[in-house]
Amino acid sequence: TSLRVGQTFLATVDDPAVGNNGWSLVSHGVGEKLYTLNYQEKLVAQLAKSVERISESRWSVRLEAGRHFSDGSPFTAADVAESLGRINRENSAARSSCGMMTFTATSELTLTIDTEINTPVMHSVLGEWPFVPYKTLPGDKRVFTGPYAIESLEPRELHAIANKHYPGYTQCKRAPLVIKKYDSGSEVTAALAGNELHLGFNLPMESASQLNWVPDTTAKSFAVGYQYMAFFNTVSPKLSDRNVRKALALAIDRDALSKATHPAGLDATAVNRAIATGAFPVDTSWGAAHPQLPTNVAQAKEMLDAAGWTLNDAGVRVKGGEELSL
């Protein structure tokens, strides 16, 4: 995040002490991560220079040289190990990919990471939202590395100023920010209409028509999508059979799912673009490379028959006297 004009923000401010909401820290321009996604949705190094796998459960990370925290102190492996280790211990979301992790500084700019659960993509793990490195100062104050530094933080308001130790500080000339928390979208709408804010987020849909009548104010609407994924447990006796898994996948009507989860009246092309091509819809860079998954109930029935799961008189698939239930 790099804002170059004076603005007052609306956003939800969470306590950054443990990285409880690393996404907010990054989106507000206060924090950064070792790896992140660029504007092309490619995973790139941010505060790290490289990561190398040493063994199944151990990785070596080298940090970018010449970076500093907002108090001017150098960005070191010791601070990264301490902060990310604390985040991993105290924030359950930071254990979702690798379980418990041990971070150990081995030099000023290198550290090792030992994981409870092995991963082939530590770059991606370090890009997850909880992992925002910080440094703890006396008095339990914490500083970060982003283009903005926290000047003051209250329960409902964050004041941020330009980080003088951020690369390109003199060229960007970032103005101070005030980021406020509101209880409802209607309150944000009223604040925008009253010229109390320069920018607001998460407004209700009806606010667009109200704000169109406010001078020098523009309301923008955009679709927001979430992907919820189901993965087969191949250790389960019933799902260990590949034909059963394929039959279940063929029986899912993804076109119907897309239609059911989109607003009424949405353009058919947009609905079609959101049909899954695996774990992701086709309108993402990860899903675009694959064809849409088919629905073929007849073929699914044939595969279940071949796997020995046949229909009984009640219309339930059974095998060896056991029902096919999940």
Side-chain angles (χ1 to χ4, degrees), residues 223-259:
V224 176
Y226 279 82
Q227 287 78 47
Y228 293 92
M229 307 169 192
F231 294 92
F232 291 124
N233 177 12
T234 57
V235 178
S236 165
K238 296 172 183 175
L239 292 176
S240 63
D241 189 324
R242 184 168 181 264
N243 281 335
V244 173
R245 298 197 302 271
K246 291 184 70 174
L248 291 172
L250 285 166
I252 297 172
D253 190 341
R254 294 173 179 80
D255 179 67
L257 284 175
S258 185
K259 290 176 181 175

Side-chain angles (χ1 to χ4, degrees), residues 14-15 29 31 35 92 101 115 153 174 233 235 250 258 263 315 323:
D14 294 274
D15 178 10
Y35 281 84
S92 59
M101 304 166 70
T115 63
L153 176 62
R174 296 180 178 89
N233 177 12
V235 178
L250 285 166
S258 185
E323 293 185 351

